[in-house]
PDB file of all heavy atoms in Angstrom:
ATOM      1  N   TYR A  26      -3.336 -33.797 -30.968  1.00 69.00           N
ATOM      2  CA  TYR A  26      -3.251 -34.467 -32.242  1.00 69.00           C
ATOM      3  C   TYR A  26      -4.044 -33.744 -33.263  1.00 69.00           C
ATOM      4  O   TYR A  26      -5.212 -33.432 -33.082  1.00 69.00           O
ATOM      5  CB  TYR A  26      -3.668 -35.905 -32.151  1.00 69.00           C
ATOM      6  CG  TYR A  26      -3.646 -36.677 -33.502  1.00 69.00           C
ATOM      7  CD1 TYR A  26      -2.367 -37.016 -34.111  1.00 69.00           C
ATOM      8  CD2 TYR A  26      -4.818 -36.935 -34.245  1.00 69.00           C
ATOM      9  CE1 TYR A  26      -2.397 -37.575 -35.368  1.00 69.00           C
ATOM     10  CE2 TYR A  26      -4.802 -37.548 -35.356  1.00 69.00           C
ATOM     11  CZ  TYR A  26      -3.559 -37.798 -35.963  1.00 69.00           C
ATOM     12  OH  TYR A  26      -3.590 -38.524 -37.280  1.00 69.00           O
ATOM     13  N   LEU A  39       1.652 -25.265 -29.823  1.00 86.00           N
ATOM     14  CA  LEU A  39       0.356 -24.702 -30.394  1.00 86.00           C
ATOM     15  C   LEU A  39       0.243 -23.254 -29.988  1.00 86.00           C
ATOM     16  O   LEU A  39      -0.119 -22.361 -30.666  1.00 86.00           O
ATOM     17  CB  LEU A  39      -0.803 -25.534 -30.003  1.00 86.00           C
ATOM     18  CG  LEU A  39      -0.942 -26.907 -30.626  1.00 86.00           C
ATOM     19  CD1 LEU A  39      -2.118 -27.656 -30.032  1.00 86.00           C
ATOM     20  CD2 LEU A  39      -1.029 -26.801 -32.137  1.00 86.00           C
ATOM     21  N   ASN A  50       0.351  -9.963 -36.505  1.00 90.00           N
ATOM     22  CA  ASN A  50      -0.782  -8.951 -36.650  1.00 90.00           C
ATOM     23  C   ASN A  50      -0.495  -7.603 -36.025  1.00 90.00           C
ATOM     24  O   ASN A  50      -0.873  -6.523 -36.546  1.00 90.00           O
ATOM     25  CB  ASN A  50      -2.021  -9.580 -35.978  1.00 90.00           C
ATOM     26  CG  ASN A  50      -2.638 -10.701 -36.828  1.00 90.00           C
ATOM     27  OD1 ASN A  50      -2.358 -10.856 -37.966  1.00 90.00           O
ATOM     28  ND2 ASN A  50      -3.416 -11.484 -36.084  1.00 90.00           N
ATOM     29  N   ASN A  62       7.721   3.075 -43.444  1.00 65.00           N
ATOM     30  CA  ASN A  62       9.005   3.642 -43.010  1.00 65.00           C
ATOM     31  C   ASN A  62       9.126   3.517 -41.569  1.00 65.00           C
ATOM     32  O   ASN A  62      10.018   4.089 -40.866  1.00 65.00           O
ATOM     33  CB  ASN A  62       9.135   5.031 -43.453  1.00 65.00           C
ATOM     34  CG  ASN A  62       9.279   5.189 -44.958  1.00 65.00           C
ATOM     35  OD1 ASN A  62       9.816   4.314 -45.569  1.00 65.00           O
ATOM     36  ND2 ASN A  62       8.644   6.302 -45.541  1.00 65.00           N
ATOM     37  N   SER A 105      -6.212 -10.646 -15.963  1.00 82.00           N
ATOM     38  CA  SER A 105      -7.075  -9.964 -16.773  1.00 82.00           C
ATOM     39  C   SER A 105      -7.721  -8.785 -15.979  1.00 82.00           C
ATOM     40  O   SER A 105      -8.039  -7.779 -16.619  1.00 82.00           O
ATOM     41  CB  SER A 105      -8.299 -10.733 -17.364  1.00 82.00           C
ATOM     42  OG  SER A 105      -8.928 -11.426 -16.376  1.00 82.00           O
ATOM     43  N   SER A 106      -7.935  -8.896 -14.757  1.00 80.00           N
ATOM     44  CA  SER A 106      -8.440  -7.919 -13.902  1.00 80.00           C
ATOM     45  C   SER A 106      -7.576  -6.588 -13.848  1.00 80.00           C
ATOM     46  O   SER A 106      -8.037  -5.495 -13.810  1.00 80.00           O
ATOM     47  CB  SER A 106      -8.806  -8.377 -12.528  1.00 80.00           C
ATOM     48  OG  SER A 106      -7.551  -8.815 -11.779  1.00 80.00           O
ATOM     49  N   ASP A 119      -9.948  10.431 -16.332  1.00 65.00           N
ATOM     50  CA  ASP A 119     -10.094  11.804 -16.184  1.00 65.00           C
ATOM     51  C   ASP A 119     -11.497  12.249 -15.922  1.00 65.00           C
ATOM     52  O   ASP A 119     -11.751  13.134 -15.128  1.00 65.00           O
ATOM     53  CB  ASP A 119      -9.597  12.566 -17.535  1.00 65.00           C
ATOM     54  CG  ASP A 119      -8.123  12.414 -17.773  1.00 65.00           C
ATOM     55  OD1 ASP A 119      -7.417  12.089 -16.760  1.00 65.00           O
ATOM     56  OD2 ASP A 119      -7.699  12.532 -18.910  1.00 65.00           O
ATOM     57  N   MET A 139     -17.541 -10.425 -21.355  1.00 85.00           N
ATOM     58  CA  MET A 139     -17.983 -11.682 -21.829  1.00 85.00           C
ATOM     59  C   MET A 139     -17.164 -11.936 -23.141  1.00 85.00           C
ATOM     60  O   MET A 139     -17.339 -11.139 -24.131  1.00 85.00           O
ATOM     61  CB  MET A 139     -19.448 -11.747 -22.084  1.00 85.00           C
ATOM     62  CG  MET A 139     -19.942 -13.009 -22.770  1.00 85.00           C
ATOM     63  SD  MET A 139     -21.730 -13.143 -22.899  1.00 85.00           S
ATOM     64  CE  MET A 139     -22.131 -13.698 -21.225  1.00 85.00           C
ATOM     65  N   HIS A 141     -15.805 -15.234 -25.901  1.00 84.00           N
ATOM     66  CA  HIS A 141     -16.486 -16.281 -26.656  1.00 84.00           C
ATOM     67  C   HIS A 141     -16.736 -17.479 -25.751  1.00 84.00           C
ATOM     68  O   HIS A 141     -17.849 -18.074 -25.915  1.00 84.00           O
ATOM     69  CB  HIS A 141     -15.554 -16.719 -27.814  1.00 84.00           C
ATOM     70  CG  HIS A 141     -16.109 -17.758 -28.714  1.00 84.00           C
ATOM     71  ND1 HIS A 141     -17.160 -17.410 -29.554  1.00 84.00           N
ATOM     72  CD2 HIS A 141     -15.846 -19.175 -28.829  1.00 84.00           C
ATOM     73  CE1 HIS A 141     -17.499 -18.569 -30.186  1.00 84.00           C
ATOM     74  NE2 HIS A 141     -16.709 -19.559 -29.791  1.00 84.00           N
ATOM     75  N   MET A 151     -12.625   3.562  -8.134  1.00 77.00           N
ATOM     76  CA  MET A 151     -11.855   4.805  -8.510  1.00 77.00           C
ATOM     77  C   MET A 151     -11.505   5.496  -7.259  1.00 77.00           C
ATOM     78  O   MET A 151     -12.326   5.919  -6.427  1.00 77.00           O
ATOM     79  CB  MET A 151     -12.756   5.626  -9.376  1.00 77.00           C
ATOM     80  CG  MET A 151     -12.864   5.153 -10.803  1.00 77.00           C
ATOM     81  SD  MET A 151     -11.511   5.054 -11.828  1.00 77.00           S
ATOM     82  CE  MET A 151     -11.036   6.722 -11.831  1.00 77.00           C
ATOM     83  N   SER A 154      -7.782  10.017  -4.735  1.00 51.00           N
ATOM     84  CA  SER A 154      -6.443  10.593  -4.814  1.00 51.00           C
ATOM     85  C   SER A 154      -5.511   9.635  -5.153  1.00 51.00           C
ATOM     86  O   SER A 154      -5.573   8.500  -4.706  1.00 51.00           O
ATOM     87  CB  SER A 154      -6.007  11.341  -3.429  1.00 51.00           C
ATOM     88  OG  SER A 154      -5.953  10.299  -2.380  1.00 51.00           O
ATOM     89  N   SER A 170      -5.593 -14.516  -4.470  1.00 37.00           N
ATOM     90  CA  SER A 170      -5.390 -13.227  -3.772  1.00 37.00           C
ATOM     91  C   SER A 170      -4.071 -12.697  -4.304  1.00 37.00           C
ATOM     92  O   SER A 170      -3.148 -13.413  -4.705  1.00 37.00           O
ATOM     93  CB  SER A 170      -5.268 -13.499  -2.331  1.00 37.00           C
ATOM     94  OG  SER A 170      -4.257 -14.330  -1.922  1.00 37.00           O
ATOM     95  N   GLY A 177      -2.902   0.402 -11.743  1.00 44.00           N
ATOM     96  CA  GLY A 177      -2.272   1.757 -11.959  1.00 44.00           C
ATOM     97  C   GLY A 177      -2.387   2.679 -10.797  1.00 44.00           C
ATOM     98  O   GLY A 177      -2.435   2.202  -9.684  1.00 44.00           O
ATOM     99  N   ASP A 178      -2.576   3.929 -11.080  1.00 53.00           N
ATOM    100  CA  ASP A 178      -2.544   4.965  -9.991  1.00 53.00           C
ATOM    101  C   ASP A 178      -3.895   5.196  -9.386  1.00 53.00           C
ATOM    102  O   ASP A 178      -3.905   5.634  -8.204  1.00 53.00           O
ATOM    103  CB  ASP A 178      -1.965   6.208 -10.544  1.00 53.00           C
ATOM    104  CG  ASP A 178      -0.500   6.094 -10.888  1.00 53.00           C
ATOM    105  OD1 ASP A 178       0.227   5.298 -10.231  1.00 53.00           O
ATOM    106  OD2 ASP A 178      -0.049   6.835 -11.799  1.00 53.00           O
ATOM    107  N   SER A 187     -14.112 -15.438 -12.518  1.00 83.00           N
ATOM    108  CA  SER A 187     -14.418 -15.661 -13.870  1.00 83.00           C
ATOM    109  C   SER A 187     -15.010 -17.170 -13.960  1.00 83.00           C
ATOM    110  O   SER A 187     -14.769 -18.015 -13.045  1.00 83.00           O
ATOM    111  CB  SER A 187     -13.123 -15.678 -14.724  1.00 83.00           C
ATOM    112  OG  SER A 187     -12.217 -16.575 -14.256  1.00 83.00           O
ATOM    113  N   ILE A 196     -24.849 -18.146 -25.813  1.00 90.00           N
ATOM    114  CA  ILE A 196     -25.860 -17.443 -26.271  1.00 90.00           C
ATOM    115  C   ILE A 196     -26.344 -17.679 -27.707  1.00 90.00           C
ATOM    116  O   ILE A 196     -27.474 -17.759 -28.120  1.00 90.00           O
ATOM    117  CB  ILE A 196     -25.784 -15.989 -25.917  1.00 90.00           C
ATOM    118  CG1 ILE A 196     -25.517 -15.785 -24.422  1.00 90.00           C
ATOM    119  CG2 ILE A 196     -26.856 -15.123 -26.445  1.00 90.00           C
ATOM    120  CD1 ILE A 196     -25.269 -14.327 -24.053  1.00 90.00           C
ATOM    121  N   ALA A 199     -28.026 -21.090 -27.975  1.00 91.00           N
ATOM    122  CA  ALA A 199     -29.340 -21.040 -27.459  1.00 91.00           C
ATOM    123  C   ALA A 199     -30.224 -20.333 -28.439  1.00 91.00           C
ATOM    124  O   ALA A 199     -31.426 -20.812 -28.708  1.00 91.00           O
ATOM    125  CB  ALA A 199     -29.386 -20.353 -26.083  1.00 91.00           C
ATOM    126  N   SER A 223     -23.649 -27.585 -42.232  1.00 79.00           N
ATOM    127  CA  SER A 223     -24.092 -27.173 -43.538  1.00 79.00           C
ATOM    128  C   SER A 223     -23.961 -25.645 -43.660  1.00 79.00           C
ATOM    129  O   SER A 223     -24.010 -24.994 -42.682  1.00 79.00           O
ATOM    130  CB  SER A 223     -25.450 -27.716 -43.845  1.00 79.00           C
ATOM    131  OG  SER A 223     -26.410 -27.047 -42.953  1.00 79.00           O
ATOM    132  N   LEU A 229     -27.449 -19.490 -40.421  1.00 87.00           N
ATOM    133  CA  LEU A 229     -28.374 -19.235 -39.271  1.00 87.00           C
ATOM    134  C   LEU A 229     -27.623 -18.833 -38.012  1.00 87.00           C
ATOM    135  O   LEU A 229     -27.970 -17.954 -37.169  1.00 87.00           O
ATOM    136  CB  LEU A 229     -29.244 -20.496 -39.088  1.00 87.00           C
ATOM    137  CG  LEU A 229     -30.196 -20.402 -37.767  1.00 87.00           C
ATOM    138  CD1 LEU A 229     -31.079 -19.299 -37.923  1.00 87.00           C
ATOM    139  CD2 LEU A 229     -30.965 -21.778 -37.671  1.00 87.00           C
ATOM    140  N   LYS A 237     -27.526 -11.296 -31.295  1.00 85.00           N
ATOM    141  CA  LYS A 237     -27.009 -11.222 -30.034  1.00 85.00           C
ATOM    142  C   LYS A 237     -26.383  -9.781 -29.731  1.00 85.00           C
ATOM    143  O   LYS A 237     -26.600  -9.147 -28.788  1.00 85.00           O
ATOM    144  CB  LYS A 237     -26.097 -12.327 -29.700  1.00 85.00           C
ATOM    145  CG  LYS A 237     -25.360 -12.261 -28.321  1.00 85.00           C
ATOM    146  CD  LYS A 237     -24.150 -13.083 -28.329  1.00 85.00           C
ATOM    147  CE  LYS A 237     -23.076 -12.619 -29.332  1.00 85.00           C
ATOM    148  NZ  LYS A 237     -22.086 -13.652 -29.417  1.00 85.00           N
TER     149      LYS A 237
END
Side-chain angles (χ1 to χ4, degrees):
Y26 177 69
L39 288 175
N50 290 336
N62 295 326
S105 56
S106 56
D119 293 339
M139 176 173 281
H141 183 71
M151 289 293 301
S154 64
S170 63
D178 292 331
S187 62
I196 299 177
S223 66
L229 176 58
K237 174 197 62 185

